[in-house]
C-alpha cells in the first residue's frame, strides 16, 4: 500500500503547481519578493508608499454557491467570486488590496478543475491590482465526495491611517447611497438552490425565460468588485462609512457600521431588484422580509455620506464609471438596526 492507493496523488498536486505557477506570476506586483512554491509568500511594502500604513486583513469563502458550480461543471467563476468578495470586505474600511492567498481542499485532486479555479483567482487578482501570493491545495480522501471541493480566500490590504473608514462619524441625517450588485454575489445560495432545484425542479442548464439564460448561469454570475468605482473616493472625506451587503442582506450588514443610538431607514421603492430576485421570491413564495435578510436584493454596497455631499458622492461614482448609484435611505436618531419604508416596515 502506498500514498496514491490511499487516495492522495502527489504527482497530481505537483502538476497543479506547475500549471498554475504562470497564472500566479502574472498577478505579481512590484512588492512580491517570492515565487510560487515557497513555504511562505514574501511581500514588501515600499517605503513611503503609504503614510502611517494600516494593514487590513480578511478571510472568506464562497458557501454553497459551489454546489451550483458542481452541477454546472463550470469552475472558472468561483475564483472571481472569492477574490472580489474579499476585496470588498477590506474596501469598506478604505483599504487597497496588496496580496491574496487561497486554500483549495478536495477529495480527489483534478488538475483541470484546480487550474480553472486558479484561472478565476488570477483574473480577479489582476483586475484588482492584487498579487496572488500563494496558497494551499489539499487532497483529503474521505472528506469530500468525488467532484466536490471547498475554497477559502485570505486577503491583506493597506490604507493610510488618516483615510481609514470606520463609520464613527456617521450621524443622523446622513444619506445612504446604494450601488448595484451583479446578482446574488455569494450569499443566499442554500435558499436559492432549494427554490430552483427542488421547488421548481430545474436542472442547472434549464433556461428560465424571465432571466434570459439558464438558472445555472444566472446563479453563477460572479460577485462584483467595487474597488474601481470606490477607490477614487478614498481620502476625499466624502465617505463616512460603507457596508458590504453579504450574508444577512441589508438587514444584518448595514447595522454593523452604525453608531449606537442610530438606525437606518431604507426605502425599498428606491431601486428595482434584478429579475433573479423577483423570480426566486415568486417561485419560492418567500416573504419580502426574508428576502431582505437573505439576499442583497440588487444592492451590493452601501455608502454613507453627509447630506450636503450626496450629489458630489454620486458624481464621483459616475466619473469612475458607476451609473447605477442611487439614494436608498438615511440615518435617523434613536432605535437600532434597519427600518424599511412601506409594507416591510419594522
Amino acid at each position: 500500500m502506498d500514498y496514491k492507493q490511499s487516495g492522495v496523488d502527489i504527482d497530481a498536486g505537483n502538476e497543479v503547481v506547475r500549471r498554475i505557477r504562470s497564472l500566479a506570476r502574472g498577478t505579481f506586483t512590484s512588492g512580491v519578493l517570492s515565487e510560487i512554491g515557497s513555504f511562505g509568500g514574501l511581500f514588501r511594502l515600499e517605503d513611503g508608499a503609504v503614510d502611517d500604513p494600516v494593514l487590513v486583513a480578511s478571510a472568506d469563502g464562497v458557501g454553497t454557491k459551489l454546489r451550483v458550480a458542481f452541477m454546472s461543471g463550470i469552475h472558472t467563476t468561483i475564483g472571481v467570486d472569492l477574490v472580489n468578495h474579499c476585496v470588498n470586505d477590506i474596501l469598506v474600511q478604505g483599504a487597497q488590496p496588496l496580496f491574496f492567498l487561497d486554500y483549495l481542499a478536495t477529495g480527489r485532486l483534478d488538475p483541470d478543475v484546480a487550474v480553472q479555479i486558479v484561472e478565476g483567482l488570477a483574473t480577479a487578482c489582476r483586475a484588482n491590482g492584487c498579487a496572488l501570493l500563494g496558497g494551499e491545495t489539499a487532497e483529503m480522501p474521505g472528506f469530500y465526495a468525488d467532484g466536490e471541493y471547498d475554497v477559502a480566500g485570505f486577503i491583506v490590504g493597506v490604507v493610510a491611517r488618516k483615510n481609514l473608514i470606520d463609520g464613527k462619524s456617521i450621524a443622523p441625517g446622513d444619506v445612504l447611497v446604494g450601488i448595484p450588485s451583479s446578482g446574488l454575489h455569494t450569499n443566499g445560495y442554500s435558499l436559492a438552490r432549494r427554490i430552483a432545484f427542488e421547488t421548481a425542479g430545474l436542472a442547472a442548464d434549464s433556461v428560465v425565460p424571465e432571466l434570459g439564460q439558464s438558472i445555472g448561469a444566472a446563479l453563477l454570475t460572479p460577485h462584483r468588485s467595487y474597488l474601481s468605482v470606490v477607490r477614487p473616493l478614498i481620502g476625499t472625506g466624502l465617505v463616512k462609512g460603507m457596508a458590504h451587503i453579504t450574508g444577512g442582506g441589508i438587514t444584518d450588514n448595514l447595522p454593523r457600521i452604525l453608531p449606537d443610538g442610530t438606525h437606518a431607514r431604507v426605502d425599498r421603492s428606491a431601486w428595482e431588484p434584478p429579475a433573479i430576485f423577483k423570480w426566486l421570491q415568486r417561485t419560492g413564495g418567500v416573504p419580502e422580509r426574508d428576502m431582505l435578510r437573505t439576499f442583497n436584493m440588487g444592492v451590493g454596497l452601501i455608502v454613507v455620506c453627509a447630506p450636503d455631499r450626496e450629489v458630489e458622492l454620486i458624481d464621483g461614482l459616475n466619473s469612475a464609471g458607476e451609473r447605477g448609484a442611487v439614494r436608498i435611505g438615511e440615518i435617523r436618531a434613536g432605535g437600532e438596526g434597519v427600518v424599511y419604508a412601506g409594507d416591510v416596515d419594522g
Side-chain angles (χ1 to χ4, degrees), residues 173-187:
D174 285 344
V175 171
L176 304 173
V177 174
I179 305 179
S181 67
S182 54
L184 272 65
H185 283 181
T186 52
N187 62 280

Side-chain angles (χ1 to χ4, degrees), residues 115-327:
V115 169
Q116 287 183 56
I117 296 168
V118 177
E119 284 177 348
L121 294 171
T123 296
C125 280
R126 284 194 301 271
N128 287 288
C130 176
L132 180 55
L133 191 61
E136 167 70 358
T137 300
E139 194 168 22
M140 302 166 61
F143 273 74
Y144 300 92
D146 281 351
E148 296 187 357
Y149 55 83
D150 195 12
V151 292
F154 312 87
I155 196 166
V156 174
V158 66
V159 58
R161 188 168 184 175
K162 65 180 180 180
N163 294 334
L164 190 63
I165 298 171
D166 56 17
K168 290 181 180 178
S169 65
I170 293 175
D174 285 344
V175 171
L176 304 173
V177 174
I179 305 179
S181 67
S182 54
L184 272 65
H185 283 181
T186 52
N187 62 280
Y189 278 84
S190 294
L191 178 57
R193 289 186 303 108
R194 184 170 183 179
I195 293 170
F197 305 124
E198 296 182 27
T199 301
L202 301 178
D205 59 358
S206 298
V207 174
V208 179
E210 184 177 338
L211 306 179
Q213 60 184 329
S214 71
I215 187 63
L219 294 178
L220 284 177
T221 300
H223 195 131
R224 179 185 175 189
S225 167
Y226 294 98
L227 179 63
S228 64
V229 297
V230 170
R231 181 166 48 192
L233 305 178
I234 306 299
T236 64
L238 284 171
V239 180
K240 287 191 167 190
M242 288 187 282
H244 184 202
I245 309 305
T246 57
I250 294 174
T251 305
D252 285 351
N253 282 286
L254 186 53
R256 295 167 65 178
I257 64 168
L258 300 183
D260 291 342
T262 65
H263 72 276
R265 181 183 183 277
V266 173
D267 181 2
R268 252 297 291 114
S269 65
W271 80 95
E272 186 75 12
I276 183 64
F277 298 104
K278 296 178 182 178
W279 183 86
L280 287 168
Q281 183 172 13
R282 187 183 69 253
T283 305
V286 184
E288 179 83 357
R289 189 180 307 279
D290 288 323
M291 291 292 295
L292 288 163
R293 199 177 182 190
T294 304
F295 304 109
N296 63 58
M297 293 296 282
V299 175
L301 189 77
I302 294 177
V303 183
V304 185
C305 71
D308 60 349
R309 306 198 73 179
E310 175 188 351
V311 173
E312 188 180 356
L313 174 71
I314 293 178
D315 284 347
L317 290 168
N318 288 339
S319 297
E322 175 55 57
R323 295 291 183 267
V326 62
R327 176 175 177 157

Side-chain angles (χ1 to χ4, degrees), residues 87-128:
V87 166
N88 292 339
D89 276 350
I90 64 170
L91 174 64
V92 298
Q93 292 170 291
Q96 165 77 28
L98 295 173
F99 58 84
F100 185 88
L101 304 169
D102 72 281
Y103 174 76
L104 167 64
T106 185
R108 182 178 60 82
L109 186 60
D110 182 331
D112 290 336
V113 171
V115 169
Q116 287 183 56
I117 296 168
V118 177
E119 284 177 348
L121 294 171
T123 296
C125 280
R126 284 194 301 271
N128 287 288

